[in-house]
Amino acid sequence: MPTTSLPTVLLIEDSPTLSLLYKGYLRHEDIQLCHSSTGAEGLAFIDGQCPDVVVLDLNLPDMEGMDILKAIQKQNLPCAAIVITAYGSIDVAVDAMRYGAFDFIEKPFSGKRLLVTLRNALNSRSLQRQIEQLSQYFRPNYHGFIGSSLAMQRVYRIIDSAAPSKATVFITGESGTGKEVCAEAIHQQSPRSKQPFIALNCAAIPRDLMESEIFGHVKGAFTGASGERKGAAEQADGGTFFLDEICEMDIDLQAKLLRFIQTGKIQKVGGTGTKTVDLRFICATNRNPLDEVAAGRFREDLFYRLHVIPLHLPPLRERSEDVLLIARQFLQTYSTEEHKEFVGLSPECEAIFTAYPWLGNIRELQNVMRNIVVLNQGQWVEAEMLPEPLRSVRPQPQRLLKPHKVAQPDTSPPPQEILPLWQVEKTAIENALRYCQDNIPNAAALLEVSPSTIYRKIQGWQKNGQDTKTKP
Ligand SMILES: Nc1ncnc2c1ncn2[C@@H]1O[C@H](COP(=O)(O)OP(=O)(O)OP(=O)(O)O)[C@@H](O)[C@H]1O
Ligand SMILES: [Mg+2]
């Protein structure tokens, strides 16, 4: 069993002479090379500890080498297989690629050919591993958020790190960017998630009632205070207290809030005694808090007390890759709620949505989707269904795909020579192969097709006499 952290390569080859030859070719590589001389032994090795790469001779004494490939593919094992085939057996090679082989080498081959193919396979495995590791941190949804952009991944990571602590989070962002969603996400992600989450909107409550809303009041504290009442701070005891639109708070009350944050003690309006509460503070504003401090509307000492972990939510126009993701999810939710049959947005709508600036951010997008679903019928959202501000958007022409519009015949001469499609395809494949020095998997990656597509094309050209110099 290998013990080092070097990548493991398993050679499955029954011929002692060839095994020795291949081992010789690979002797200077930084790999842990293991060898099985039968298929059964090879399969047992793969089951026990999946190697990074298998170099597999398809002609084995005890089983079809192809069955080993099938086993790797069926279990979706993280292992790249290089298949050794007999000279001229391109059909077998095509089959091997269909069963997930990374590449194949025709016998006899040089040491250099084996080394290049092996290094490509090891690189591909290493890239695959990195993608798998990164994808663990890549989340299209997070608590109430939808968004897979890098900007939102950063927000999710800050929430992950800040949530376990008691430190105050200061959320900024334009209206409709999800500040309240963010406050709730921090609470949900925190150890206080089973305790209350109490939100108080400082802009929505009249000035003279605000103190009693936060701290509560005793009976008779003011006209209309017919009984004792708990304030929001006391209701949130043990949990999270979210002060939304904090910059709208009356300046006199800001002094009381500061004292409360420093001491953790509340005193009800009209009362004499104090009570200690345990709170995690989160606050939010759509203003620039430093401008408010400079204008004398927001106390500087309170700002620095609260501004411990700043978290800025990016506007939607700066993460346009999220627009369609959010739009599709809202479409699905509202269609279900409204018993409609919408399944998606037409390409034209998608282009308009991507070009539109969404100044009202996600709230605006949410309202637009609700409007479309409620007022229209059908499966696809078409441009005519869009409400006014979107209807006048002119998307960029290259984003516009109109698959169902029939083009009018054009009588002007073609801009360049028009070739048969197979010829264009063949030239593209040959160019990619030349660029990749005949490395089919690399060329396939550049062309965004599977390697077996290239093998099949080459076979097709040979069969149809569409003369080719391209050889895998
Ligand atoms: N990333 C998101 N994914 C899905 N829904 C979102 C997202 N961000 C916000 N929303 C939704 O958009 C609406 C507005 O969000 P929210 O109230 O949190 O914004 P806000 O920044 O507090 O806005 P305002 O400053 O106007 O109070 C809510 O219905 C919320 O559920
Ligand atoms: Mg809000």
Side-chain angles (χ1 to χ4, degrees):
M1 274 278 150
T3 50
T4 68
S5 59
L6 291 174
T8 315
V9 176
L10 174 66
L11 170 67
I12 308 181
E13 169 63 71
D14 61 310
S15 152
T17 338
L18 288 177
S19 306
L20 260 181
L21 179 70
Y22 302 157
K23 284 180 191 174
Y25 287 158
L26 301 176
R27 68 185 178 284
H28 295 307
E29 288 300 280
D30 283 338
I31 53 171
Q32 178 82 21
L33 183 61
C34 307
H35 175 220
S36 302
S37 50
T38 63
E41 215 182 285
L43 267 184
F45 185 102
I46 293 168
D47 277 346
Q49 184 228 345
C50 184
D52 294 280
V53 176
V54 175
V55 180
L56 171 67
D57 187 352
L58 286 183
N59 290 319
L60 293 169
D62 58 333
M63 67 166 69
E64 290 287 323
M66 207 64 90
D67 290 336
I68 297 185
L69 266 189
K70 288 180 193 168
I72 292 173
Q73 192 185 45
K74 195 169 167 203
Q75 296 172 68
N76 201 14
L77 294 177
C79 162
I82 298 169
V83 163
I84 301 172
T85 60
Y87 175 72
S89 51
I90 195 147
D91 285 344
V92 179
V94 170
D95 273 353
M97 300 307 285
R98 210 173 26 237
Y99 290 121
F102 172 79
D103 201 355
F104 74 89
I105 330 183
E106 253 180 342
K107 278 192 228 174
F109 51 84
S110 64
K112 194 171 162 215
R113 174 78 166 92
L114 178 61
L115 280 176
V116 169
T117 310
L118 179 68
R119 285 176 194 162
N120 284 338
L122 287 169
N123 281 342
S124 149
R125 274 299 310 134
S126 144
L127 278 175
Q128 194 62 39
R129 245 195 319 272
Q130 285 174 35
I131 290 168
E132 279 157 17
Q133 278 164 3
L134 284 175
S135 62
Q136 289 174 6
Y137 300 101
F138 183 85
R139 293 164 282 190
N141 290 78
Y142 181 86
H143 294 286
F145 284 117
I146 307 165
S148 61
S149 59
L150 279 179
M152 288 311 289
Q153 301 303 314
R154 188 175 162 270
V155 167
Y156 306 157
R157 276 201 304 277
I158 295 175
I159 297 176
D160 281 340
S161 310
S165 121
K166 204 186 159 184
T168 304
V169 182
F170 199 109
I171 309 168
T172 51
E174 289 177 13
S175 185
T177 46
K179 296 185 290 297
E180 191 161 346
V181 176
C182 183
E184 283 178 33
I186 297 167
H187 176 72
Q188 286 307 324
Q189 186 69 15
S190 79
R192 295 169 176 255
S193 61
K194 301 274 179 295
Q195 304 301 320
F197 171 85
I198 303 291
L200 196 71
N201 187 330
C202 304
I205 294 163
R207 251 166 180 237
D208 41 350
L209 288 184
M210 194 61 185
E211 184 177 352
S212 134
E213 282 295 320
I214 298 178
F215 301 113
H217 59 249
V218 295
K219 186 176 176 184
F222 46 84
T223 322
S226 52
E228 182 155 341
R229 184 165 177 260
K230 264 189 189 178
E234 195 177 348
Q235 289 171 40
D237 193 10
T240 304
F241 189 26
F242 174 42
L243 288 159
D244 202 359
E245 317 274 12
I246 184 80
C247 287
E248 314 307 312
M249 185 179 275
D250 180 65
I251 194 95
D252 296 333
L253 193 55
Q254 288 179 26
K256 290 189 179 163
L257 179 67
L258 178 64
R259 209 170 320 121
F260 163 48
I261 295 170
Q262 282 165 340
T263 61
K265 289 193 171 95
I266 50 171
Q267 184 173 31
K268 287 185 171 167
V269 176
T272 47
T274 58
K275 183 178 176 187
T276 303
V277 287
D278 166 34
L279 296 182
R280 199 266 171 90
F281 288 94
I282 301 177
C283 48
T285 180
N286 55 18
R287 294 179 188 265
N288 178 339
L290 283 174
D291 286 352
E292 297 304 297
V293 171
R297 288 187 293 265
F298 196 60
R299 287 182 67 117
E300 192 175 13
D301 47 5
L302 179 62
F303 170 72
Y304 285 112
R305 188 84 205 179
L306 293 174
H307 201 257
V308 183
I309 300 176
L311 207 172
H312 181 70
L313 291 177
L316 196 49
R317 65 185 168 280
E318 283 177 16
R319 49 190 180 102
S320 55
E321 63 269 47
D322 285 344
V323 171
L324 296 181
L325 186 74
I326 299 175
R328 289 189 197 115
Q329 287 202 25
F330 284 156
L331 184 69
Q332 202 175 33
T333 309
Y334 299 152
S335 286
T336 310
E337 278 176 24
E338 305 285 343
H339 309 290
K340 298 286 175 91
E341 290 171 354
F342 286 103
V343 292
L345 299 141
S346 71
E348 193 174 358
C349 278
E350 293 202 342
I352 293 173
F353 271 46
T354 313
Y356 185 69
W358 299 107
L359 297 180
N361 293 296
I362 295 123
R363 186 177 290 110
E364 186 182 8
L365 177 54
Q366 205 171 31
N367 292 343
V368 164
M369 294 317 292
R370 175 75 81 179
N371 173 303
I372 293 167
V373 172
V374 170
L375 299 183
N376 297 280
Q377 306 289 341
Q379 288 202 317
W380 293 92
V381 178
E382 303 291 347
E384 309 81 76
M385 299 178 183
L386 302 183
E388 190 27 65
L390 280 125
R391 224 183 274 186
S392 9
V393 173
R394 292 277 157 271
Q396 291 164 1
Q398 70 268 28
R399 291 192 171 277
L400 251 175
L401 302 165
K402 288 187 178 166
H404 46 271
K405 265 210 164 173
V406 181
Q408 295 301 310
D410 190 348
T411 48
S412 55
Q416 57 188 37
E417 190 191 358
I418 293 182
L419 297 167
L421 192 56
W422 71 264
Q423 182 74 65
V424 176
E425 195 176 61
K426 182 164 171 275
T427 310
I429 292 176
E430 284 174 349
N431 285 343
L433 283 169
R434 207 170 307 119
Y435 179 74
C436 297
Q437 293 165 352
D438 287 343
N439 180 313
I440 291 186
N442 285 359
L446 283 182
L447 293 164
E448 297 184 16
V449 297
S450 71
S452 57
T453 304
I454 298 190
Y455 288 116
R456 239 175 284 126
K457 295 282 174 197
I458 296 173
Q459 257 190 324
W461 301 328
Q462 285 168 346
K463 214 181 280 168
N464 299 336
Q466 290 158 333
D467 175 44
T468 177
K469 291 178 193 65
T470 319
K471 274 223 154 105

